[in-house]
Amino acid sequence: MTHAIDKTNFCNKQTRVALRNCGIIDPENIDEYIARDGYQALAKVLKTMTPEQVIKVILDSGLRGRGGAGFPTGRKWQLARQIVPDADQKYVCCNADEGDPGAFMDRSVLEGDPHALLEAMAIAGFAIGATQGYIYVRAEYPVAVKRLDIAIRQAREYGLLGENIFDSGFSFDIDIRLGAGAFVCGEETALMTSIEGHRGEPRPRPPFPAEKGLFGKPSVLNNVETYANIAQIILNGPEWFASMGTERSKGTKVFALGGKINNTGLVEIPMGTTLRTVIEDIGGGIPNGKRFKAAQTGGPSGGCIPAEHFDIPIDYDNLISIGSMMGSGGLIVMDEDNCMVDIAKFFLEFTVDESCGKCTPCRIGNRRLLEMLTKITEGKATLEDLDKMEKLCYYIKENSLCGLGQTAPNPVLSTLRYFRDEYISHIVDKTCPASVCKKLLKFTITDNCKGCTLCARKCPVNAISGAVKQKHVIDQDKCIKCGVCMDSCKFSAIEKK
Amino acid sequence: MKSIEELNAVKEKTLARLNGNTVRIVVGMATCGIAAGAKPVFDALKEETEKRGLENVVVSQTGCIGMCKYEPLVDVYVPGHEKVTYVFVSPEKARRIIDEHIVGGQIAEDITVASVE
Amino acid sequence: MSKETTISKVPFKGTAEEEKKLREVIASWKGKAGCLMPVMQEAQGIYGYLPIEVQKIIADELDIPLEEVYGVSTFYSQFSLNPKGEYKIGVCLGTACYVKGAKEVYDKLCSELNIQSGGVTADGIFSLEATRCIGCCGLAPVMMINDDVYGQLTADKIPAILDSYRRK
């Protein structure tokens, strides 16, 4: 038995690279970051390496973007360095607009180890030839914003940001820009449009940001977790990083473990770890003896992983092959009490709300898709609707302008793939197997009823009748399934199915 | 600073401070910790160490260790001993930690992470 | 979440002092690339919302068409064209909270306060907002009232929490 948190089951199955300082150092004290080899990588790069060498190290490490899509980071930097060689200005941007509902990996790095991000952005600036960086961070993260602000000021005081860093001739500075609550601004071109001070609508690609990005200049955009790996790769070498993970997905990945799981929290695991290890060993399994139904990754762009894929090694390609995606790292566990049609509808409501409206497939297509899903959860759909819905999913994917629309139907397609039987139950049997979809529920009064009349008095539509001290009945035609009777009953005599 | 030597000097000085003979009490103060009530815990620890005039004790903050469900979390580093993590810490428990562990030298066994694992 | 785009019917009550602050903010940003959003964010910090009168000052001073300022203010969910309540309630409807019953909590708030997301109670005490993940998934389901976070909520805990603010 140990008293140290690092020795618990929760921690000792993890490998901490991006989170190595989180929970260890004081994030508002630059000295404590320096004590853990902070800014050594920047010094090494500026004193002993050329930009090309830096890019080669990142390429060789096999690091892929941790924001979700998994584009090789070294390749991105190489393009930004080479495409417009004579650009008068280039920019390094950081996507800290963590909008995936149920994910807080980036927030933890920003709040726990902000200097790791600043150091990596300076290294990226040196690699591509930029002198200015922008961090685009959610305004909903006030603590993160405050700590970033303190970190930037401390780094400037030490001369680790600003003019002529380490006497190398290289200058680099960073500014913070606050998001204002638009999920689409997580898309790279939309994010840049937003930093420019406009409505955060995406732009068609090409031209890619490496050629024409922020303010029309060549730009590189990486996510917080991607940056959090950079200094470690420079210091420990690309071979060290590439020794972790699977063939095409190197290193580790941070997941925000949430939902129906005993140990809610933040975990960092080597790529290739199985879902079983994450959920059973680290996560401590499902509470209340319930059965695991699915894990959702990739948020509104991703899909679910059912129990049959419990032993699949988690990496970019495997998750795509089973119809989900890595995403930024939200991992929400669902048990038998969650309805998969309802979950698909939840994500669609999110994307309909967050669609910026610029392109029609996303703006209108997703709205129609949501209407179809709503019809299903209300028991009004036919099997023909199901086919139409599936077709519409592919239209939206193929024709939308940006990643938001192109991935919006994924939660629907993935639940259809693994839980088609639940859709069929809603459509054909008019029942919701998990008893979630209200319109399909039936409230009935059991023999436990003492005839106290309380429910009849509480019912807002007078759907309950019965004499005092006799069993009451609910008129199913009048019932609006509000559940007030069930909440008010003192004898647990009302059932919902 | 302009050289690696200067950077290393800061590193050595800070390591000496962190690994010296001060007792460090570190509170997890990311958003999740603060939401669970870490701020009053931090204040209680500060207040209690000052009230008792404990000079060799430093109270500081850190980010998120990742184990949200046990927040607020407090780590106690006593030189020469393994770190001790306390869970579900309240201001009352914070005062117990000072009283029993820091002053009395006895780990408050019933509120460490071992008590819930 | 879903955006209100109608101009506030509440009469504008900005003070000269607020306007002075606003003009200072604008002066400090003017000329910097991409300054519109930071200016609007600080303006909302001063006034609590972005009435059209304030948007006009920003547009004039920054020499940006009002149409564009209005376009930005209606695009982002954090900008508000209407005043908020004294206590701003934000219910997290992120995934982790949702699968643990945040919808019931939200519905209860709607029925207790008799408003929907984006609304303000008639007495101006509470405003309600369904928000995205606020990053406290370990405490799900969660809501915030101004800066206070309430975790592990159930619908039946809501009336008592609201009462504690009404008594303040």
Side-chain angles (χ1 to χ4, degrees), chain A residues 88-120:
Chain A
D88 56 343
Q89 179 59 288
K90 295 184 185 181
Y91 295 104
V92 171
C93 304
C94 172
N95 186 348
D97 191 44
E98 188 169 50
D100 173 0
F104 50 100
M105 302 73 54
D106 296 346
R107 199 209 71 208
S108 290
V109 174
L110 298 167
E111 290 179 353
D113 196 12
H115 286 285
L117 175 60
L118 306 185
E119 183 179 7

PDB file of all heavy atoms in Angstrom, chain A residues 88-120:
ATOM      1  N   ASP A  88       7.982  37.628 -46.082  1.00  0.00           N
ATOM      2  CA  ASP A  88       8.532  38.619 -45.148  1.00  0.00           C
ATOM      3  C   ASP A  88       8.098  38.349 -43.713  1.00  0.00           C
ATOM      4  O   ASP A  88       8.726  38.788 -42.771  1.00  0.00           O
ATOM      5  CB  ASP A  88       8.113  40.038 -45.565  1.00  0.00           C
ATOM      6  CG  ASP A  88       6.596  40.173 -45.668  1.00  0.00           C
ATOM      7  OD1 ASP A  88       5.910  39.121 -45.743  1.00  0.00           O
ATOM      8  OD2 ASP A  88       6.088  41.300 -45.661  1.00  0.00           O
ATOM      9  N   GLN A  89       6.995  37.626 -43.543  1.00  0.00           N
ATOM     10  CA  GLN A  89       6.543  37.269 -42.196  1.00  0.00           C
ATOM     11  C   GLN A  89       5.880  35.907 -42.246  1.00  0.00           C
ATOM     12  O   GLN A  89       5.251  35.547 -43.246  1.00  0.00           O
ATOM     13  CB  GLN A  89       5.559  38.328 -41.678  1.00  0.00           C
ATOM     14  CG  GLN A  89       4.993  38.074 -40.297  1.00  0.00           C
ATOM     15  CD  GLN A  89       6.023  37.966 -39.189  1.00  0.00           C
ATOM     16  OE1 GLN A  89       6.769  36.992 -39.083  1.00  0.00           O
ATOM     17  NE2 GLN A  89       6.078  38.967 -38.326  1.00  0.00           N
ATOM     18  N   LYS A  90       6.089  35.125 -41.162  1.00  0.00           N
ATOM     19  CA  LYS A  90       5.372  33.860 -41.003  1.00  0.00           C
ATOM     20  C   LYS A  90       4.854  33.819 -39.571  1.00  0.00           C
ATOM     21  O   LYS A  90       5.337  34.563 -38.727  1.00  0.00           O
ATOM     22  CB  LYS A  90       6.306  32.675 -41.251  1.00  0.00           C
ATOM     23  CG  LYS A  90       6.825  32.581 -42.682  1.00  0.00           C
ATOM     24  CD  LYS A  90       7.659  31.323 -42.863  1.00  0.00           C
ATOM     25  CE  LYS A  90       8.275  31.313 -44.261  1.00  0.00           C
ATOM     26  NZ  LYS A  90       9.085  30.095 -44.487  1.00  0.00           N
ATOM     27  N   TYR A  91       3.879  32.951 -39.334  1.00  0.00           N
ATOM     28  CA  TYR A  91       3.299  32.879 -37.994  1.00  0.00           C
ATOM     29  C   TYR A  91       3.244  31.446 -37.482  1.00  0.00           C
ATOM     30  O   TYR A  91       3.051  30.498 -38.246  1.00  0.00           O
ATOM     31  CB  TYR A  91       1.884  33.454 -37.984  1.00  0.00           C
ATOM     32  CG  TYR A  91       1.833  34.931 -38.280  1.00  0.00           C
ATOM     33  CD1 TYR A  91       1.416  35.400 -39.529  1.00  0.00           C
ATOM     34  CD2 TYR A  91       2.211  35.864 -37.315  1.00  0.00           C
ATOM     35  CE1 TYR A  91       1.372  36.753 -39.804  1.00  0.00           C
ATOM     36  CE2 TYR A  91       2.173  37.229 -37.583  1.00  0.00           C
ATOM     37  CZ  TYR A  91       1.752  37.666 -38.827  1.00  0.00           C
ATOM     38  OH  TYR A  91       1.713  39.006 -39.098  1.00  0.00           O
ATOM     39  N   VAL A  92       3.399  31.330 -36.161  1.00  0.00           N
ATOM     40  CA  VAL A  92       3.201  30.054 -35.477  1.00  0.00           C
ATOM     41  C   VAL A  92       1.954  30.209 -34.612  1.00  0.00           C
ATOM     42  O   VAL A  92       1.880  31.135 -33.809  1.00  0.00           O
ATOM     43  CB  VAL A  92       4.402  29.726 -34.571  1.00  0.00           C
ATOM     44  CG1 VAL A  92       4.103  28.513 -33.696  1.00  0.00           C
ATOM     45  CG2 VAL A  92       5.644  29.478 -35.410  1.00  0.00           C
ATOM     46  N   CYS A  93       0.974  29.335 -34.811  1.00  0.00           N
ATOM     47  CA  CYS A  93      -0.249  29.444 -34.019  1.00  0.00           C
ATOM     48  C   CYS A  93      -0.459  28.197 -33.182  1.00  0.00           C
ATOM     49  O   CYS A  93      -0.019  27.104 -33.540  1.00  0.00           O
ATOM     50  CB  CYS A  93      -1.472  29.615 -34.914  1.00  0.00           C
ATOM     51  SG  CYS A  93      -1.347  31.009 -36.021  1.00  0.00           S
ATOM     52  N   CYS A  94      -1.139  28.402 -32.081  1.00  0.00           N
ATOM     53  CA  CYS A  94      -1.484  27.264 -31.236  1.00  0.00           C
ATOM     54  C   CYS A  94      -2.993  27.215 -31.079  1.00  0.00           C
ATOM     55  O   CYS A  94      -3.631  28.195 -30.714  1.00  0.00           O
ATOM     56  CB  CYS A  94      -0.830  27.388 -29.875  1.00  0.00           C
ATOM     57  SG  CYS A  94      -1.425  26.126 -28.739  1.00  0.00           S
ATOM     58  N   ASN A  95      -3.538  26.060 -31.355  1.00  0.00           N
ATOM     59  CA  ASN A  95      -4.968  25.854 -31.195  1.00  0.00           C
ATOM     60  C   ASN A  95      -5.251  25.387 -29.772  1.00  0.00           C
ATOM     61  O   ASN A  95      -5.022  24.235 -29.430  1.00  0.00           O
ATOM     62  CB  ASN A  95      -5.444  24.802 -32.204  1.00  0.00           C
ATOM     63  CG  ASN A  95      -6.947  24.642 -32.209  1.00  0.00           C
ATOM     64  OD1 ASN A  95      -7.628  25.147 -31.320  1.00  0.00           O
ATOM     65  ND2 ASN A  95      -7.463  23.944 -33.201  1.00  0.00           N
ATOM     66  N   ALA A  96      -5.688  26.311 -28.951  1.00  0.00           N
ATOM     67  CA  ALA A  96      -6.064  25.967 -27.578  1.00  0.00           C
ATOM     68  C   ALA A  96      -7.551  26.244 -27.392  1.00  0.00           C
ATOM     69  O   ALA A  96      -8.011  26.586 -26.318  1.00  0.00           O
ATOM     70  CB  ALA A  96      -5.236  26.770 -26.581  1.00  0.00           C
ATOM     71  N   ASP A  97      -8.302  26.111 -28.495  1.00  0.00           N
ATOM     72  CA  ASP A  97      -9.743  26.349 -28.475  1.00  0.00           C
ATOM     73  C   ASP A  97     -10.426  25.003 -28.308  1.00  0.00           C
ATOM     74  O   ASP A  97     -11.130  24.538 -29.188  1.00  0.00           O
ATOM     75  CB  ASP A  97     -10.177  27.017 -29.784  1.00  0.00           C
ATOM     76  CG  ASP A  97     -11.608  27.536 -29.712  1.00  0.00           C
ATOM     77  OD1 ASP A  97     -11.952  28.139 -28.684  1.00  0.00           O
ATOM     78  OD2 ASP A  97     -12.362  27.338 -30.667  1.00  0.00           O
ATOM     79  N   GLU A  98     -10.165  24.385 -27.186  1.00  0.00           N
ATOM     80  CA  GLU A  98     -10.610  23.014 -26.966  1.00  0.00           C
ATOM     81  C   GLU A  98     -12.125  22.957 -26.848  1.00  0.00           C
ATOM     82  O   GLU A  98     -12.683  23.232 -25.795  1.00  0.00           O
ATOM     83  CB  GLU A  98      -9.966  22.504 -25.678  1.00  0.00           C
ATOM     84  CG  GLU A  98     -10.155  21.060 -25.395  1.00  0.00           C
ATOM     85  CD  GLU A  98      -9.248  20.650 -24.241  1.00  0.00           C
ATOM     86  OE1 GLU A  98      -9.243  21.309 -23.205  1.00  0.00           O
ATOM     87  OE2 GLU A  98      -8.524  19.684 -24.406  1.00  0.00           O
ATOM     88  N   GLY A  99     -12.777  22.594 -27.942  1.00  0.00           N
ATOM     89  CA  GLY A  99     -14.223  22.713 -27.948  1.00  0.00           C
ATOM     90  C   GLY A  99     -14.975  21.402 -27.872  1.00  0.00           C
ATOM     91  O   GLY A  99     -16.183  21.381 -27.678  1.00  0.00           O
ATOM     92  N   ASP A 100     -14.281  20.298 -28.018  1.00  0.00           N
ATOM     93  CA  ASP A 100     -14.920  18.991 -27.967  1.00  0.00           C
ATOM     94  C   ASP A 100     -15.567  18.821 -26.589  1.00  0.00           C
ATOM     95  O   ASP A 100     -14.890  18.871 -25.582  1.00  0.00           O
ATOM     96  CB  ASP A 100     -13.813  17.937 -28.228  1.00  0.00           C
ATOM     97  CG  ASP A 100     -14.296  16.515 -28.031  1.00  0.00           C
ATOM     98  OD1 ASP A 100     -15.475  16.324 -27.701  1.00  0.00           O
ATOM     99  OD2 ASP A 100     -13.482  15.594 -28.205  1.00  0.00           O
ATOM    100  N   PRO A 101     -16.909  18.676 -26.552  1.00  0.00           N
ATOM    101  CA  PRO A 101     -17.556  18.634 -25.248  1.00  0.00           C
ATOM    102  C   PRO A 101     -17.124  17.383 -24.487  1.00  0.00           C
ATOM    103  O   PRO A 101     -17.267  16.278 -24.992  1.00  0.00           O
ATOM    104  CB  PRO A 101     -19.046  18.588 -25.586  1.00  0.00           C
ATOM    105  CG  PRO A 101     -19.112  18.054 -26.975  1.00  0.00           C
ATOM    106  CD  PRO A 101     -17.838  18.449 -27.659  1.00  0.00           C
ATOM    107  N   GLY A 102     -16.587  17.539 -23.315  1.00  0.00           N
ATOM    108  CA  GLY A 102     -16.178  16.379 -22.531  1.00  0.00           C
ATOM    109  C   GLY A 102     -14.693  16.118 -22.623  1.00  0.00           C
ATOM    110  O   GLY A 102     -14.229  15.036 -22.319  1.00  0.00           O
ATOM    111  N   ALA A 103     -13.943  17.107 -23.086  1.00  0.00           N
ATOM    112  CA  ALA A 103     -12.503  16.919 -23.218  1.00  0.00           C
ATOM    113  C   ALA A 103     -11.777  18.079 -22.559  1.00  0.00           C
ATOM    114  O   ALA A 103     -12.168  19.222 -22.720  1.00  0.00           O
ATOM    115  CB  ALA A 103     -12.136  16.843 -24.689  1.00  0.00           C
ATOM    116  N   PHE A 104     -10.743  17.771 -21.798  1.00  0.00           N
ATOM    117  CA  PHE A 104     -10.019  18.854 -21.125  1.00  0.00           C
ATOM    118  C   PHE A 104      -8.531  18.566 -21.036  1.00  0.00           C
ATOM    119  O   PHE A 104      -7.871  18.950 -20.091  1.00  0.00           O
ATOM    120  CB  PHE A 104     -10.605  19.102 -19.731  1.00  0.00           C
ATOM    121  CG  PHE A 104     -10.759  17.867 -18.883  1.00  0.00           C
ATOM    122  CD1 PHE A 104      -9.840  17.558 -17.903  1.00  0.00           C
ATOM    123  CD2 PHE A 104     -11.834  17.009 -19.078  1.00  0.00           C
ATOM    124  CE1 PHE A 104      -9.983  16.414 -17.121  1.00  0.00           C
ATOM    125  CE2 PHE A 104     -11.980  15.862 -18.306  1.00  0.00           C
ATOM    126  CZ  PHE A 104     -11.057  15.566 -17.323  1.00  0.00           C
ATOM    127  N   MET A 105      -7.995  17.876 -22.078  1.00  0.00           N
ATOM    128  CA  MET A 105      -6.568  17.560 -22.103  1.00  0.00           C
ATOM    129  C   MET A 105      -5.740  18.823 -22.200  1.00  0.00           C
ATOM    130  O   MET A 105      -4.774  19.023 -21.479  1.00  0.00           O
ATOM    131  CB  MET A 105      -6.213  16.695 -23.328  1.00  0.00           C
ATOM    132  CG  MET A 105      -6.934  15.396 -23.474  1.00  0.00           C
ATOM    133  SD  MET A 105      -8.657  15.568 -23.960  1.00  0.00           S
ATOM    134  CE  MET A 105      -8.585  16.545 -25.410  1.00  0.00           C
ATOM    135  N   ASP A 106      -6.136  19.674 -23.156  1.00  0.00           N
ATOM    136  CA  ASP A 106      -5.363  20.883 -23.405  1.00  0.00           C
ATOM    137  C   ASP A 106      -5.429  21.826 -22.214  1.00  0.00           C
ATOM    138  O   ASP A 106      -4.443  22.449 -21.853  1.00  0.00           O
ATOM    139  CB  ASP A 106      -5.884  21.602 -24.659  1.00  0.00           C
ATOM    140  CG  ASP A 106      -5.696  20.744 -25.895  1.00  0.00           C
ATOM    141  OD1 ASP A 106      -4.945  19.750 -25.813  1.00  0.00           O
ATOM    142  OD2 ASP A 106      -6.293  21.061 -26.933  1.00  0.00           O
ATOM    143  N   ARG A 107      -6.619  21.881 -21.603  1.00  0.00           N
ATOM    144  CA  ARG A 107      -6.768  22.744 -20.444  1.00  0.00           C
ATOM    145  C   ARG A 107      -5.768  22.356 -19.354  1.00  0.00           C
ATOM    146  O   ARG A 107      -5.149  23.207 -18.716  1.00  0.00           O
ATOM    147  CB  ARG A 107      -8.186  22.631 -19.880  1.00  0.00           C
ATOM    148  CG  ARG A 107      -8.575  23.772 -18.989  1.00  0.00           C
ATOM    149  CD  ARG A 107      -9.587  23.330 -17.951  1.00  0.00           C
ATOM    150  NE  ARG A 107      -8.949  22.463 -16.968  1.00  0.00           N
ATOM    151  CZ  ARG A 107      -9.557  21.526 -16.296  1.00  0.00           C
ATOM    152  NH1 ARG A 107     -10.819  21.304 -16.466  1.00  0.00           N
ATOM    153  NH2 ARG A 107      -8.896  20.785 -15.432  1.00  0.00           N
ATOM    154  N   SER A 108      -5.570  21.050 -19.175  1.00  0.00           N
ATOM    155  CA  SER A 108      -4.650  20.605 -18.136  1.00  0.00           C
ATOM    156  C   SER A 108      -3.219  21.008 -18.426  1.00  0.00           C
ATOM    157  O   SER A 108      -2.475  21.369 -17.519  1.00  0.00           O
ATOM    158  CB  SER A 108      -4.733  19.092 -17.980  1.00  0.00           C
ATOM    159  OG  SER A 108      -5.951  18.766 -17.406  1.00  0.00           O
ATOM    160  N   VAL A 109      -2.817  20.933 -19.695  1.00  0.00           N
ATOM    161  CA  VAL A 109      -1.459  21.352 -20.048  1.00  0.00           C
ATOM    162  C   VAL A 109      -1.328  22.870 -19.862  1.00  0.00           C
ATOM    163  O   VAL A 109      -0.363  23.351 -19.271  1.00  0.00           O
ATOM    164  CB  VAL A 109      -1.111  20.951 -21.502  1.00  0.00           C
ATOM    165  CG1 VAL A 109       0.248  21.515 -21.893  1.00  0.00           C
ATOM    166  CG2 VAL A 109      -1.122  19.437 -21.655  1.00  0.00           C
ATOM    167  N   LEU A 110      -2.325  23.619 -20.334  1.00  0.00           N
ATOM    168  CA  LEU A 110      -2.276  25.082 -20.220  1.00  0.00           C
ATOM    169  C   LEU A 110      -2.209  25.516 -18.759  1.00  0.00           C
ATOM    170  O   LEU A 110      -1.486  26.429 -18.400  1.00  0.00           O
ATOM    171  CB  LEU A 110      -3.516  25.719 -20.866  1.00  0.00           C
ATOM    172  CG  LEU A 110      -3.710  25.493 -22.362  1.00  0.00           C
ATOM    173  CD1 LEU A 110      -5.116  25.916 -22.767  1.00  0.00           C
ATOM    174  CD2 LEU A 110      -2.681  26.257 -23.168  1.00  0.00           C
ATOM    175  N   GLU A 111      -2.959  24.816 -17.911  1.00  0.00           N
ATOM    176  CA  GLU A 111      -3.007  25.203 -16.502  1.00  0.00           C
ATOM    177  C   GLU A 111      -1.871  24.603 -15.693  1.00  0.00           C
ATOM    178  O   GLU A 111      -1.513  25.132 -14.650  1.00  0.00           O
ATOM    179  CB  GLU A 111      -4.336  24.747 -15.875  1.00  0.00           C
ATOM    180  CG  GLU A 111      -5.526  25.517 -16.388  1.00  0.00           C
ATOM    181  CD  GLU A 111      -6.838  25.042 -15.786  1.00  0.00           C
ATOM    182  OE1 GLU A 111      -6.839  24.026 -15.063  1.00  0.00           O
ATOM    183  OE2 GLU A 111      -7.853  25.685 -16.044  1.00  0.00           O
ATOM    184  N   GLY A 112      -1.338  23.489 -16.161  1.00  0.00           N
ATOM    185  CA  GLY A 112      -0.338  22.786 -15.363  1.00  0.00           C
ATOM    186  C   GLY A 112       1.086  22.976 -15.836  1.00  0.00           C
ATOM    187  O   GLY A 112       2.030  22.794 -15.067  1.00  0.00           O
ATOM    188  N   ASP A 113       1.270  23.305 -17.119  1.00  0.00           N
ATOM    189  CA  ASP A 113       2.627  23.376 -17.669  1.00  0.00           C
ATOM    190  C   ASP A 113       2.676  24.355 -18.854  1.00  0.00           C
ATOM    191  O   ASP A 113       3.075  23.973 -19.962  1.00  0.00           O
ATOM    192  CB  ASP A 113       3.032  21.967 -18.125  1.00  0.00           C
ATOM    193  CG  ASP A 113       4.538  21.839 -18.348  1.00  0.00           C
ATOM    194  OD1 ASP A 113       5.274  22.747 -17.934  1.00  0.00           O
ATOM    195  OD2 ASP A 113       4.962  20.829 -18.932  1.00  0.00           O
ATOM    196  N   PRO A 114       2.309  25.609 -18.638  1.00  0.00           N
ATOM    197  CA  PRO A 114       2.192  26.540 -19.779  1.00  0.00           C
ATOM    198  C   PRO A 114       3.512  26.798 -20.500  1.00  0.00           C
ATOM    199  O   PRO A 114       3.517  27.033 -21.709  1.00  0.00           O
ATOM    200  CB  PRO A 114       1.659  27.829 -19.145  1.00  0.00           C
ATOM    201  CG  PRO A 114       2.012  27.731 -17.699  1.00  0.00           C
ATOM    202  CD  PRO A 114       1.968  26.271 -17.362  1.00  0.00           C
ATOM    203  N   HIS A 115       4.644  26.723 -19.762  1.00  0.00           N
ATOM    204  CA  HIS A 115       5.922  27.018 -20.412  1.00  0.00           C
ATOM    205  C   HIS A 115       6.288  25.983 -21.471  1.00  0.00           C
ATOM    206  O   HIS A 115       6.993  26.296 -22.435  1.00  0.00           O
ATOM    207  CB  HIS A 115       7.032  27.127 -19.370  1.00  0.00           C
ATOM    208  CG  HIS A 115       6.977  28.398 -18.583  1.00  0.00           C
ATOM    209  ND1 HIS A 115       7.370  29.603 -19.090  1.00  0.00           N
ATOM    210  CD2 HIS A 115       6.520  28.648 -17.324  1.00  0.00           C
ATOM    211  CE1 HIS A 115       7.189  30.549 -18.173  1.00  0.00           C
ATOM    212  NE2 HIS A 115       6.663  29.989 -17.097  1.00  0.00           N
ATOM    213  N   ALA A 116       5.816  24.741 -21.299  1.00  0.00           N
ATOM    214  CA  ALA A 116       6.111  23.703 -22.290  1.00  0.00           C
ATOM    215  C   ALA A 116       5.585  24.133 -23.655  1.00  0.00           C
ATOM    216  O   ALA A 116       6.190  23.879 -24.698  1.00  0.00           O
ATOM    217  CB  ALA A 116       5.480  22.374 -21.870  1.00  0.00           C
ATOM    218  N   LEU A 117       4.426  24.813 -23.633  1.00  0.00           N
ATOM    219  CA  LEU A 117       3.814  25.287 -24.868  1.00  0.00           C
ATOM    220  C   LEU A 117       4.618  26.445 -25.461  1.00  0.00           C
ATOM    221  O   LEU A 117       4.914  26.468 -26.665  1.00  0.00           O
ATOM    222  CB  LEU A 117       2.386  25.724 -24.544  1.00  0.00           C
ATOM    223  CG  LEU A 117       1.571  26.368 -25.627  1.00  0.00           C
ATOM    224  CD1 LEU A 117       1.417  25.415 -26.790  1.00  0.00           C
ATOM    225  CD2 LEU A 117       0.196  26.739 -25.087  1.00  0.00           C
ATOM    226  N   LEU A 118       5.012  27.391 -24.608  1.00  0.00           N
ATOM    227  CA  LEU A 118       5.759  28.550 -25.104  1.00  0.00           C
ATOM    228  C   LEU A 118       7.096  28.111 -25.714  1.00  0.00           C
ATOM    229  O   LEU A 118       7.491  28.576 -26.788  1.00  0.00           O
ATOM    230  CB  LEU A 118       6.037  29.546 -23.971  1.00  0.00           C
ATOM    231  CG  LEU A 118       4.824  30.029 -23.160  1.00  0.00           C
ATOM    232  CD1 LEU A 118       5.253  31.105 -22.169  1.00  0.00           C
ATOM    233  CD2 LEU A 118       3.729  30.557 -24.070  1.00  0.00           C
ATOM    234  N   GLU A 119       7.786  27.198 -25.015  1.00  0.00           N
ATOM    235  CA  GLU A 119       9.084  26.731 -25.503  1.00  0.00           C
ATOM    236  C   GLU A 119       8.927  26.062 -26.869  1.00  0.00           C
ATOM    237  O   GLU A 119       9.685  26.344 -27.803  1.00  0.00           O
ATOM    238  CB  GLU A 119       9.705  25.745 -24.496  1.00  0.00           C
ATOM    239  CG  GLU A 119      11.095  25.286 -24.928  1.00  0.00           C
ATOM    240  CD  GLU A 119      11.755  24.314 -23.940  1.00  0.00           C
ATOM    241  OE1 GLU A 119      11.090  23.877 -22.977  1.00  0.00           O
ATOM    242  OE2 GLU A 119      12.941  24.013 -24.149  1.00  0.00           O
ATOM    243  N   ALA A 120       7.904  25.216 -26.998  1.00  0.00           N
ATOM    244  CA  ALA A 120       7.694  24.497 -28.258  1.00  0.00           C
ATOM    245  C   ALA A 120       7.338  25.448 -29.397  1.00  0.00           C
ATOM    246  O   ALA A 120       7.782  25.278 -30.541  1.00  0.00           O
ATOM    247  CB  ALA A 120       6.597  23.454 -28.082  1.00  0.00           C
TER     248      ALA A 120
END
